[in-house]
Amino acid sequence: MHCSAATSQHPESSLTTILIINGEDHMTTKAVDVLLVGAGAMSTTLGMLLKQLDPSLKISMVERLDHVARESTDGWNNAGTGHAAYCELNYTPKTADGGVNTSKAFSINAAFEVSLQFWSYLVQQQALPQPEQFINPVPHMSFVWGEDNVQFLRTRYEALSSQPAFADMEYSEDPEVLREWIPLIMQNRKEGEKVAATRVRYGSDVNFGSLARNMVKYLEKQDGFELLLNRTVKDLDQQQDGSWSVELRNEQSGKCEEIDAKFVFLGAGGGALPLLQLSDIPEGKGYGGFPVSGQWLVCRKPEIVNKHLAKVYGTAPIGAPPMSVPHLDTRLLDGETALLFGPFAGFTTKFLKEGSVLDMPRSISLSNLKPMLSVGMKNMDLTRYLISEVRQSHADRVESLRSFFPDAKDEDWELSYAGQRVQIIKKDEHGSGKLEFGTEAITAGDGTLAALLGASPGASTAVPTMINIIEKCFPEQMASEAWQAKMKQMVPSYGHDMVQEPNVLLEVRKQNLDVLKLDS
């Protein structure tokens, strides 16, 4: 143990036992069924799913900050794009024969529809507030210029729109049509410039911070749920019976607390990797993390903001990571409408926005040293790109914005800092390393612990990702008629492959658009 025992800061909780020895308070182990580490989109989603499946479960959620969803989940710390692959060109890479690979786009599109189904269910059950408090309709668009890029977008459109999932996608190279879609972007562009765009009108802007906070608000009203803020996980030890003894430090009192959990989920964003390493499970060996910071240019001037209603994605600069694909977005956050452009990447050794510069050095171990060194040597383009991004001035960033918005003025935009993204580094088949830009769930062989690493599409696919964890870690319960029936009630497409069964996807999409008021 790393700190002395102390009394609970929540004596009212039915989950806590106090033992009096020689006139002093000592905490015995607090026993719960599920411990959720981190109070962001992933943990709150898993908590909601499990409480719906079995209301009797005793669940504790611990968060090192003093508020829920203040790191990457917070509205201003991400782009709020409900990642459905409508506009993100990096989800449809070029192939050697000049075509595009659409497999990732279709899988992400189907995954987002799963999230929408669960949110729709929660709205109908009044477990979430009215949709406009956390999700709003904002068209999703791709916009390119130059002959090669226009050809690529045309090919992408033809490949996607030929399938039912993307049949509503619109395409145009006509400047007059584009002026109707995106007047701000088309204003004063070069005469005769070759441009093209695609549009899906029922794209969305998601306030993931509001979504997570409303989920926790609901959970706190349920018996057997406890939220513990200002708690830092200091150690995890697995006991002989398979349960986990988790040591916490109360950052307000400085005292130590313990929780004994049958199942632990590490959903702490960039902070999940060090916790996974603390667990010492074999499945977590060899993983490393490459942190990338993000910045946005933000405009709040109504005369500019009111001329743009879309999330418009372009093509990534050479050497840029997929998360740095430039986009000009409408954001609707807590009653405020603003425009956001970026992200501008930078290098940091912090794993969290409010983390420590020692996060990355402390994460290096014998098991991941070789993969991390290998990735560093293989990704010099990325390194040079990050250095160039760090050296940019405000004028340089606004100049990049002018590719999208030619009339942009330096004084109309201010710099805002986004949340940290920790890209996954993992061993490849040769024992070397490779850099991953998606999300990955790691589960212990005995199903008692799971962790989520990585970044985009992240929170957009939280529901299918958490369902996958439940299937792996609660296999007996998931096999029961009760859990199967409840899962199908929450997610009507459960048990179907919506990529292979587009009729199912279209049916649930119609319901989602109606309940969440996205097709307006």
Side-chain angles (χ1 to χ4, degrees):
M1 300 299 294
H2 294 82
C3 52
S4 60
T7 59
S8 170
Q9 300 303 298
H10 296 267
E12 74 281 4
S13 170
S14 63
L15 308 181
T16 303
T17 304
I18 302 295
L19 186 64
I20 307 298
I21 300 177
N22 297 328
E24 295 184 2
D25 294 342
H26 293 270
M27 176 178 281
T28 62
T29 301
K30 179 187 301 183
V32 299
D33 297 304
V34 175
L35 175 63
L36 305 171
V37 180
M42 296 298 174
S43 289
T44 55
T45 298
L46 183 56
M48 284 291 277
L49 283 164
L50 288 172
K51 263 298 182 186
Q52 293 291 320
L53 289 165
D54 184 356
S56 70
L57 286 174
K58 293 181 179 179
I59 301 176
S60 283
M61 176 182 285
V62 298
E63 166 59 46
R64 69 187 192 92
L65 300 180
D66 60 357
H67 286 84
V68 169
R70 289 303 188 198
E71 279 282 349
S72 292
T73 299
D74 189 65
W76 285 111
N77 286 341
N78 59 73
T81 303
H83 286 292
Y86 295 139
C87 57
E88 307 91 334
L89 300 180
N90 54 299
Y91 294 155
T92 49
K94 293 180 182 179
T95 57
D97 62 1
V100 294
N101 185 335
T102 59
S103 58
K104 189 172 185 179
F106 285 115
S107 64
I108 288 176
N109 183 261
F112 185 57
E113 291 290 351
V114 172
S115 292
L116 291 177
Q117 287 175 75
F118 185 53
W119 302 342
S120 296
Y121 164 80
L122 294 176
V123 168
Q124 291 174 316
Q125 298 298 311
Q126 298 184 325
L128 282 177
Q130 287 300 301
E132 58 268 22
Q133 292 193 31
F134 66 90
I135 189 169
N136 286 278
V138 173
H140 281 197
M141 298 183 60
S142 302
F143 175 75
V144 299
W145 55 92
E147 186 63 49
D148 290 346
N149 287 332
V150 169
Q151 178 59 49
F152 165 69
L153 190 64
R154 188 186 304 124
T155 303
R156 177 183 187 269
Y157 164 73
E158 290 169 354
L160 290 175
S161 63
S162 64
Q163 302 301 313
F166 289 83
D168 292 332
M169 180 179 280
E170 302 169 85
Y171 175 84
S172 182
E173 298 175 24
D174 184 344
E176 293 304 316
V177 172
L178 299 187
R179 284 189 186 97
E180 293 180 11
W181 291 358
I182 40 175
L184 197 72
I185 287 176
M186 292 302 294
Q187 185 175 296
N188 292 328
R189 296 200 73 84
K190 294 177 185 176
E191 191 69 30
E193 183 180 27
K194 190 74 171 175
V195 293
T198 58
R199 179 176 74 163
V200 174
R201 68 181 184 278
Y202 46 70
S204 59
D205 177 69
V206 187
N207 185 338
F208 287 108
S210 176
L211 178 64
R213 285 186 277 275
N214 276 293
M215 285 187 182
V216 171
K217 186 177 179 180
Y218 171 84
L219 286 169
E220 286 193 283
K221 296 177 183 177
Q222 311 309 305
D223 292 337
F225 178 86
E226 182 178 45
L227 172 65
L228 300 171
L229 300 174
N230 299 295
R231 266 54 170 207
T232 301
V233 174
K234 304 300 293 183
D235 202 8
L236 299 94
D237 291 305
Q238 190 167 27
Q239 308 304 297
Q240 288 187 346
D241 64 357
S243 68
W244 290 86
S245 176
V246 182
E247 178 191 331
L248 309 174
R249 176 182 171 85
N250 185 319
E251 298 300 341
Q252 285 187 321
S253 68
K255 295 179 179 178
C256 179
E257 301 168 359
E258 288 181 74
I259 294 180
D260 181 33
K262 296 176 184 176
F263 171 75
V264 176
F265 174 64
L266 306 177
L273 175 62
L275 296 175
L276 177 64
Q277 293 173 327
L278 270 180
S279 74
D280 206 35
I281 62 170
E283 294 80 4
K285 300 293 185 183
Y287 280 91
F290 184 82
V292 178
S293 63
Q295 298 170 324
W296 308 106
L297 288 178
V298 178
C299 176
R300 293 180 169 86
K301 289 194 170 184
E303 61 269 28
I304 297 173
V305 173
N306 294 338
K307 291 181 180 178
H308 186 79
L309 179 62
K311 289 182 179 290
V312 183
Y313 277 60
T315 56
I318 295 174
M323 62 160 286
S324 293
V325 172
H327 44 103
L328 179 62
D329 294 359
T330 297
R331 295 305 320 272
L332 298 101
L333 296 172
D334 306 319
E336 179 184 5
T337 304
L339 297 186
L340 173 153
F341 177 75
F344 298 95
F347 177 72
T348 174
T349 55
K350 291 183 178 182
F351 281 170
L352 292 163
K353 190 173 181 178
E354 298 190 36
S356 166
V357 293
L358 298 177
D359 287 343
M360 184 177 179
R362 285 172 176 164
S363 75
I364 299 173
S365 65
L366 289 176
S367 70
N368 67 18
L369 180 60
K370 183 178 178 182
M372 292 186 73
L373 289 175
S374 172
V375 164
M377 290 185 290
K378 291 177 184 176
N379 289 273
M380 292 307 296
D381 282 349
L382 174 58
T383 303
R384 284 190 288 268
Y385 169 77
L386 293 175
I387 292 172
S388 69
E389 289 279 284
V390 170
R391 295 172 63 184
Q392 281 193 328
S393 65
H394 182 69
D396 292 331
R397 295 186 180 98
V398 177
E399 185 60 34
S400 298
L401 166 62
R402 291 191 184 103
S403 296
F404 281 77
F405 173 26
D407 291 345
K409 296 185 174 80
D410 293 13
E411 60 270 23
D412 292 337
W413 299 78
E414 61 186 16
L415 195 64
S416 175
Y417 288 84
Q420 293 294 101
R421 304 292 184 269
V422 179
Q423 312 299 337
I424 303 167
I425 294 175
K426 59 189 291 189
K427 286 182 180 178
D428 60 19
E429 59 274 15
H430 306 296
S432 189
K434 58 181 178 179
L435 189 62
E436 300 280 350
F437 289 104
T439 52
E440 185 165 342
I442 294 109
T443 56
D446 61 2
T448 60
L449 182 142
L452 192 78
L453 305 181
S456 182
S460 295
T461 57
V463 177
T465 303
M466 294 304 102
I467 289 175
N468 182 255
I469 284 176
I470 291 172
E471 289 173 334
K472 289 183 177 179
C473 298
F474 297 82
E476 292 182 11
Q477 296 95 321
M478 272 305 304
S480 69
E481 288 186 13
W483 279 40
Q484 285 286 313
K486 187 64 177 182
M487 190 65 79
K488 289 172 182 175
Q489 181 186 0
M490 296 187 294
V491 180
S493 70
Y494 184 71
H496 294 273
D497 183 342
M498 288 192 288
V499 176
Q500 301 299 322
E501 302 175 73
N503 60 311
V504 175
L505 184 145
L506 295 179
E507 184 177 340
V508 299
R509 176 177 291 167
K510 186 176 184 298
Q511 173 80 352
N512 293 337
L513 295 178
D514 179 56
V515 174
L516 298 175
K517 304 176 184 177
L518 294 178
D519 195 11
S520 61

